[in-house]
Amino acid sequence: MAGNTFGNIFKVATFGESHGAAIGGVLDGCPSGIEIDFEAIQKELDRRKPGQSAIVTQRKEPDTVEFYSGIFEGKTTGTPIGFAIHNTNQKSHDYSHIKDSYRPSHADYVYDKKYGFRDYRGGGRSSARETASRVVAGAIAKQFLSDMKINAYVSQVGAMKMETPYQELDFSLIESNPVRCPDPKMAAKMEEYIKEIRKEGDTIGGIITCVIQNVPIGLGEPAFDKLHAELGKAMLSINAVKGFEYGSGFAGVAMKGSAHNDQFNQDGTTKTNHSGGIQGGISNGMDIYFNVAFKPVATVIQPYQTIDKDGNFVQTKGKGRHDPCVVPRAVPIVEAMAALVMADFSLLNRTIKANS
């Protein structure tokens, strides 16, 4: 299986399966001398881990990360940073009923057809549990990018959409509720809705908005390595993501060019920011903001029809511990992937300047 490494200079390779002994990764290209805040890394993992509230999967994992290389006396050495998170609460028997059948809209069928073999326990490598390794790498990237501020939050659950512009939000409220929505009233409505969906044995999707502030001008490499293209790739690599838009996004098609154009101020900033902080694939110093759409989780705790490995129709039912809505736990994952992209381009800029 290829495709387990993300990034060009600041890059991470992840390993492990949902019900294996451990998941983890190797972060390569991280500069030396960065003082590591281990508590901050663990805090990021705690934001993503299962069992943290009544509206997420009740799998109980401490998600404690252990580092094996690349850090000495609290600072990065410039060598590969190896780390692992041990799985402690697997319930593989919850998946024995799908050993020979395929869950609709999961990766079961395509994994089996591509590789001729699959780990059916929790989806194996296709499980979102793999994203914990990304969060570790992203937490280190955040510390490298200490001047930049990356904040993601839930802006929509199902049809419940928060209309408040991000400039008017208090990001300190994101962690004040289990939905991770910075609007307390909307968060309460979203939480009740997710609980109702869970009682029905069903799932619902949502949108996460991410804002990156204090971005320097000049990150991004045309023509094929545009900054927004890499952010899109990063977000679309996250499990259950179905869409990515930055700046005005799809709403921009309804605007005239005269209204959509971001007029300049004398200092090079712009009066509006429909561009989403990126023009020509290069950061322009304005805030970068984008939306990431997540589908409803595919596993529903309801009876359904599917096919087995021989092509026969079979009746089965979803079992195990699953999120009724993935977006609350995906917030730190979106931030982590954004940080990895920004760290990679920051190092690329250093390389270009050093060689010029």
Side-chain angles (χ1 to χ4, degrees):
M1 177 188 288
N4 298 294
T5 301
F6 182 82
N8 296 292
I9 300 177
F10 194 101
K11 56 187 176 182
V12 60
T14 70
F15 68 83
E17 295 81 34
S18 177
H19 287 227
I23 55 175
V26 176
L27 178 60
D28 198 9
C30 182
S32 62
I34 297 172
E35 192 165 341
I36 295 298
D37 185 338
F38 294 100
E39 289 185 4
I41 296 173
Q42 192 58 52
K43 183 178 179 181
E44 294 296 310
L45 281 169
D46 290 345
R47 296 171 71 207
R48 194 221 69 96
K49 74 178 181 181
Q52 61 183 274
S53 76
I55 60 171
V56 303
T57 172
Q58 292 307 293
R59 178 173 175 170
K60 301 294 184 183
E61 291 284 359
D63 276 3
T64 303
V65 61
E66 297 180 4
F67 290 96
Y68 299 107
S69 63
I71 300 173
F72 179 65
E73 295 183 342
K75 293 184 178 181
T76 58
T77 62
T79 59
I81 300 172
F83 60 89
I85 302 166
H86 292 276
N87 294 323
T88 64
N89 192 224
Q90 308 98 313
K91 291 188 177 181
S92 301
H93 58 82
D94 285 345
Y95 299 91
S96 58
H97 67 295
I98 61 163
K99 181 177 181 293
D100 297 316
S101 62
Y102 308 115
R103 295 168 295 176
S105 291
H106 273 275
D108 299 344
Y109 178 78
V110 290
Y111 265 56
D112 211 1
K113 294 302 178 182
K114 181 176 176 66
Y115 300 109
F117 184 72
R118 70 182 173 100
D119 183 348
Y120 60 85
R121 306 166 302 165
R125 182 67 177 160
S126 69
S127 169
R129 180 134 185 79
E130 176 269 337
T131 60
S133 300
R134 307 183 189 203
V135 170
V136 174
I140 295 174
K142 279 186 175 182
Q143 295 180 33
F144 168 63
L145 299 167
S146 57
D147 292 337
M148 288 190 209
K149 303 301 177 187
I150 303 174
N151 289 286
Y153 59 90
V154 175
S155 57
Q156 184 170 342
V157 171
M160 291 185 178
K161 184 177 182 180
M162 188 174 63
E163 301 291 350
T164 309
Y166 78 83
Q167 297 91 337
E168 299 175 17
L169 296 173
D170 182 355
F171 290 156
S172 69
L173 296 176
I174 293 172
E175 294 298 315
S176 67
N177 59 78
V179 182
R180 295 200 166 90
C181 173
D183 181 331
K185 291 184 178 179
M186 178 59 76
K189 294 178 181 178
M190 289 176 172
E191 183 176 357
E192 286 306 309
Y193 182 52
I194 294 172
K195 287 179 179 178
E196 290 175 11
I197 292 294
R198 181 173 209 151
K199 288 178 182 178
E200 296 171 5
D202 219 328
T203 61
I204 194 70
I207 291 177
I208 291 175
T209 298
C210 185
V211 182
I212 310 175
Q213 298 170 304
N214 301 334
V215 181
I217 299 172
L219 300 185
E221 298 297 322
F224 297 110
D225 295 331
K226 293 180 172 68
L227 179 54
H228 60 271
E230 289 301 309
L231 284 169
K233 176 183 177 180
M235 299 307 141
L236 290 165
S237 75
I238 301 171
N239 307 56
V241 169
K242 300 295 285 185
F244 169 82
E245 63 174 0
Y246 75 102
S248 60
F250 291 104
V253 304
M255 301 175 68
K256 294 180 179 179
S258 55
H260 190 271
N261 287 344
D262 294 320
Q263 299 298 320
F264 283 107
N265 297 309
Q266 285 187 308
D267 62 357
T269 61
T270 56
K271 299 180 186 301
T272 56
N273 189 19
H274 300 302
S275 299
I278 303 170
Q279 293 175 331
I282 301 171
S283 62
N284 66 356
M286 301 294 287
D287 293 347
I288 294 173
Y289 64 96
F290 55 85
N291 292 325
V292 187
F294 288 77
K295 71 175 184 178
V297 174
T299 298
V300 293
I301 312 302
Q302 297 178 358
Y304 60 84
Q305 177 179 276
T306 187
I307 60 171
D308 62 19
K309 62 181 182 180
D310 297 317
N312 302 309
F313 284 114
V314 293
Q315 291 288 330
T316 187
K317 180 181 179 179
K319 297 180 182 179
R321 303 159 294 178
H322 305 280
D323 291 274
C325 181
V326 74
V327 288
R329 290 178 60 214
V331 166
I333 304 169
V334 167
E335 291 183 2
M337 294 306 297
L340 289 172
V341 171
M342 303 308 287
D344 204 21
F345 275 116
S346 295
L347 286 177
L348 181 58
N349 256 24
R350 285 190 186 183
T351 303
I352 293 172
K353 290 179 180 178
N355 293 330
S356 62

